[in-house]
Amino acid sequence: MWKVVNLPTDLFNSVMNVGRFMEEIEWLKFLALACSALGVTITKTLKIVCEVLSCDHNGGSPRIPFSTFQFLYTYIAEVDGEISASHISRMLNYMEQEVIGPDGLITVNDFTQNPRVWLE
């Protein structure tokens, strides 16, 4: 599929190497790493991932289940290696307690427009 949409082979190889993917590829991890090549920062990467995964087409802020966001943020931050585990935990706990609504979804605005959320 990568070749069908004419994306650079070297980018594919980079994503495969960073993700340490072999025969089986974990889709969400692959998507996160591919988006990180476009997003530059973790926040921008998660914004792109949210936009790709969101099923909402009503013109509002894209949203995904918080559990998916939690998995992706933790994974990307760990791969990045510059964000402490305690910072990741603090951000996720704050977001789970103060940001996430009763529907269990997180919107892009929840982590891009909230001054108390700093993912980097």
Side-chain angles (χ1 to χ4, degrees):
M1 189 61 160
W2 194 272
K3 289 179 183 177
V4 170
V5 293
N6 210 21
L7 294 170
T9 304
D10 60 332
L11 179 57
F12 177 79
N13 293 335
S14 176
V15 169
M16 293 297 287
N17 287 333
V18 171
R20 297 184 182 136
F21 302 121
M22 296 301 198
E23 290 180 25
E24 286 195 29
I25 297 173
E26 291 183 62
W27 162 243
L28 284 178
K29 289 181 177 182
F30 182 87
L31 176 64
L33 292 176
C35 289
S36 72
L38 304 170
V40 182
T41 67
I42 289 175
T43 301
K44 288 180 183 175
T45 296
L46 288 167
K47 180 181 183 287
I48 294 166
V49 172
C50 247
E51 290 167 349
V52 169
L53 294 177
S54 179
C55 292
D56 293 335
H57 302 290
N58 61 2
S61 183
R63 58 192 185 148
I64 62 172
F66 180 70
S67 59
T68 303
F69 176 87
Q70 184 175 19
F71 172 79
L72 292 168
Y73 174 50
T74 301
Y75 177 68
I76 295 169
E78 287 174 354
V79 169
D80 179 77
E82 299 207 5
I83 302 164
S84 71
S86 64
H87 179 79
I88 296 167
S89 181
R90 276 193 314 275
M91 284 298 98
L92 290 172
N93 285 334
Y94 170 76
M95 294 170 81
E96 189 170 29
Q97 299 300 317
E98 303 294 330
V99 176
I100 304 309
D103 58 4
L105 300 174
I106 185 167
T107 70
V108 167
N109 290 342
D110 290 335
F111 62 90
T112 60
Q113 304 296 316
N114 186 330
R116 297 195 64 196
V117 174
W118 184 252
L119 301 178
E120 315 301 324

